[in-house]
Amino acid sequence: MANQTKLFSKHNWFILTSLVSKDFKLKYRRSALGMFWSVLNPFLMMCVLTAVFSFMFRFDIEYYPLYLILGTTLFTLMGDSTSNAMNSIIDSAPLIKKIRIEKILFPLEKVVFQLINYCLSLIAVAVVMIFFQVAPTINLLFLPLLLFYVLLFSAGLGFLLSALVVFFRDIAHLWSVVITAWTYATPLFYPMSILPDWMQSLMNFNPMYHYVTYLRDIALWGITPSLEQNLICFAMGAVVLAIGYLVFRKLEKKFILYV
């Protein structure tokens, strides 16, 4: 409890916001378009993937480009959050060695930074919705709740990976393979219906499938998420967060010896 109280102190909040601001400045330094890339990038990726998957494989999905951009942007939020959080402790080694600071702020900042980037990318999603004349419904009010679930899940994975990679550097290489496999194992580019029954059953254990389905329900199909759906999404995020947090706190005292 003391660690949690200390984590959310004004001092740590200032450090967190400063780190986020620094990352934004570094990301868009010397960029002519600046933060507009957060909007343009998912839109361009949607165009490329739509051309490949829609025309070559002929998936019969209504509003396929919107179906695609909703899934890929949310998955990218998780993938980029965890990948950047994983390296945050190692990359911040000089600072960790010089001053006393809450180490868990570094992976947390990477997740928050990617969340802000994702919110900017929603402009591209809105443009696609307008183009296809998909009217927003009141169900979009569930979006902040979904982002909270994804934040819990991404932060938990980020804490876990950032702690383990300090001691086992090969995890960084392995995680890129896991993310690639996870991308194709989640129905981002294709409909769930093309999978055999046994794979559809396994999908119930894929958190990103639940999160992507939740987003498509509220933004594309106008479906109100059920209580069960919310409990599943929250439970997956909360369990991963608890595991990641406990592992990080257990190992963080030894970081200084390995970074």
Side-chain angles (χ1 to χ4, degrees):
M1 184 64 69
N3 278 338
Q4 292 175 357
T5 304
K6 184 180 177 182
L7 179 60
F8 294 106
S9 67
K10 289 183 179 180
H11 176 66
N12 284 336
W13 177 253
F14 173 77
I15 293 174
L16 183 65
T17 54
S18 298
L19 290 172
V20 171
S21 176
K22 184 196 74 171
D23 270 4
F24 264 103
K25 291 175 182 177
L26 289 175
K27 182 179 174 101
Y28 299 111
R29 183 175 55 185
R30 299 192 182 94
S31 171
L33 295 178
M35 287 189 291
F36 185 65
W37 277 115
S38 294
V39 179
L40 188 60
N41 188 60
F43 183 77
L44 293 176
M45 286 300 298
M46 179 205 70
C47 293
V48 172
L49 293 173
T50 297
V52 173
F53 289 96
S54 180
F55 295 110
M56 290 181 64
F57 296 97
R58 304 291 180 181
F59 292 140
D60 186 21
I61 299 176
E62 190 177 11
Y63 308 123
Y64 180 72
L66 182 55
Y67 176 93
L68 186 63
I69 197 172
L70 287 170
T72 54
T73 51
L74 192 66
F75 194 95
T76 298
L77 166 61
M78 184 280 297
D80 289 350
S81 295
T82 54
S83 296
N84 290 325
M86 175 178 59
N87 295 310
S88 61
I89 298 298
I90 295 173
D91 291 343
S92 303
L95 188 60
I96 291 173
K97 291 177 180 178
K98 288 181 182 178
I99 62 175
R100 189 172 183 178
I101 189 172
E102 274 286 337
K103 300 176 185 65
I104 203 168
L105 290 174
F106 294 108
L108 179 61
E109 181 272 328
K110 298 299 181 183
V111 177
V112 172
F113 174 72
Q114 293 301 330
L115 178 63
I116 296 173
N117 260 331
Y118 174 78
C119 291
L120 292 173
S121 74
L122 289 177
I123 298 173
V125 175
V127 170
V128 177
M129 290 182 71
I130 293 171
F131 180 81
F132 286 101
Q133 298 181 352
V134 177
T137 69
I138 196 171
N139 291 302
L140 277 178
L141 294 176
F142 284 96
L143 180 59
L145 189 58
L146 170 63
L147 294 182
F148 173 68
Y149 300 150
V150 177
L151 180 67
L152 294 181
F153 182 73
S154 300
L157 271 181
F159 295 158
L160 179 64
L161 291 168
S162 63
L164 295 178
V165 80
V166 171
F167 306 97
F168 310 103
R169 303 298 170 94
D170 289 342
I171 290 177
H173 304 289
L174 180 62
W175 186 244
S176 63
V177 177
V178 170
I179 285 292
T180 300
W182 200 348
T183 300
Y184 290 102
T186 305
L188 303 178
F189 321 108
Y190 54 85
M192 179 79 156
S193 58
I194 71 169
L195 298 176
D197 291 342
W198 67 271
M199 288 190 69
Q200 293 190 30
S201 298
L202 283 178
M203 206 62 66
N204 291 320
F205 301 96
N206 180 352
M208 289 312 300
Y209 163 71
H210 290 282
Y211 296 141
V212 168
T213 299
Y214 192 114
L215 180 59
R216 286 171 175 160
D217 282 350
I218 63 175
L220 180 56
W221 312 125
I223 299 173
T224 302
S226 65
L227 177 60
E228 180 184 7
Q229 195 173 4
N230 278 285
L231 289 175
I232 289 172
C233 290
F234 173 73
M236 287 182 165
V239 169
V240 172
L241 177 67
I243 294 171
Y245 183 83
L246 291 173
V247 171
F248 190 97
R249 287 303 191 189
K250 183 176 179 62
L251 298 177
E252 64 176 336
K253 293 180 180 179
K254 299 179 182 178
F255 288 170
I256 195 69
L257 302 175
Y258 292 89
V259 294

